[in-house]
Amino acid sequence: MKRILIAEDNNSNYLLMTYILKGRYEFFRAENGQEAVEKAKTEHPDLVLMDIKMPIMDGLKATRLIKAEYPDLPVIALTANAFDNDRQQAMEAGCNDFISKPVSAAACIQAIQKQIG
């Protein structure tokens, strides 16, 4: 089963993601960007769902660091900031896709399947 790292500091958003992914993928959590970088190295996920606004290190910096070491690891940005500029910043940081919050289960599964099947 494919493994997904959910980088999300908000408990309710994390619970929503687990509900969407349950039974389809294995998943584990990072509560900030620094932890996401560390878990990408130690846990070897197949995909990262990356919140952009997080404590300690934001999702854009975490994505840059992860992509520098693992350029083929797909990262999907999850953010409440749905402006074109936010999408552009996420893509420039190395994200492969962008999902706006509140997250739609169908849009989330579709984006993940596009990246890892």
Side-chain angles (χ1 to χ4, degrees):
M1 189 175 287
K2 301 277 187 176
R3 302 178 74 232
I4 296 178
L5 168 56
I6 304 170
E8 175 61 68
D9 62 314
N10 181 289
N11 284 332
S12 59
N13 289 339
Y14 174 72
L15 288 173
L16 173 62
M17 297 311 302
T18 65
Y19 177 78
I20 292 169
L21 301 176
K22 193 174 185 178
R24 299 173 189 256
Y25 302 98
E26 286 182 32
F27 49 84
F28 53 98
R29 182 181 188 181
E31 293 189 42
N32 61 63
Q34 182 178 332
E35 195 177 325
V37 172
E38 292 165 6
K39 287 197 174 183
K41 291 178 184 178
T42 60
E43 300 292 332
H44 310 290
D46 296 295
L47 181 134
V48 180
L49 291 172
M50 183 71 75
D51 183 22
I52 299 303
K53 299 254 189 270
M54 289 187 290
I56 301 175
M57 179 189 297
D58 70 34
L60 296 176
K61 183 172 183 183
T63 297
R64 286 186 196 97
L65 292 171
I66 289 169
K67 286 296 211 168
E69 195 151 340
Y70 307 100
D72 296 331
L73 176 59
V75 177
I76 299 175
L78 296 173
T79 184
N81 301 334
F83 298 107
D84 287 339
N85 184 42
D86 299 309
R87 178 183 296 270
Q88 182 180 346
Q89 285 182 338
M91 297 313 215
E92 286 172 0
C95 290
N96 300 80
D97 208 341
F98 183 97
I99 302 173
S100 299
K101 293 177 183 177
V103 175
S104 144
C108 185
I109 294 300
Q110 183 178 10
I112 292 169
Q113 287 178 340
K114 185 173 144 188
Q115 297 299 323
I116 62 170

